[in-house]
Amino acid sequence: MDYFDAYEEIYTRIERYMLEHGTLPHALVVSPSLYQWLCDCRKESVEQPHTDDLMWFETPHGKIRLVIDERLDPYEILTE
């Protein structure tokens, strides 16, 4: 994969889930490396609180719980 925009992919997955199910997903399931990347981005953001633990992912539609699955590939994102 030449270029991977995690935020774009996450929002695409959320929108697809909402179209199929009519509701916000209960959780985003991500790989440990993607979870760490999201934590690092949050630490660098002036808009997000600086915490070492990222339990929720903020979206324009509301918060979605983040779940880490070590079996996932680094760029794999699941909605449930």
Side-chain angles (χ1 to χ4, degrees), residues 15-53:
E15 293 295 328
R16 186 178 305 141
Y17 186 93
M18 290 177 66
L19 284 172
E20 291 176 8
H21 301 280
T23 184
L24 197 62
H26 300 287
L28 290 171
V29 185
V30 297
S31 68
S33 60
L34 184 53
Y35 176 84
Q36 184 59 53
W37 183 84
L38 291 169
C39 287
D40 292 344
C41 287
R42 176 179 267 193
K43 287 177 186 176
E44 295 173 4
S45 172
V46 293
E47 298 172 6
Q48 296 288 332
H50 301 297
T51 61
D52 292 335
D53 190 25

Side-chain angles (χ1 to χ4, degrees), residues 13 17 21 23-29 64-67 69 71 77-80:
R13 300 281 179 162
Y17 186 93
H21 301 280
T23 184
L24 197 62
H26 300 287
L28 290 171
V29 185
I64 303 173
R65 185 172 53 93
L66 279 174
V67 176
D69 187 336
R71 298 170 294 174
I77 301 167
L78 304 175
T79 51
E80 56 181 42

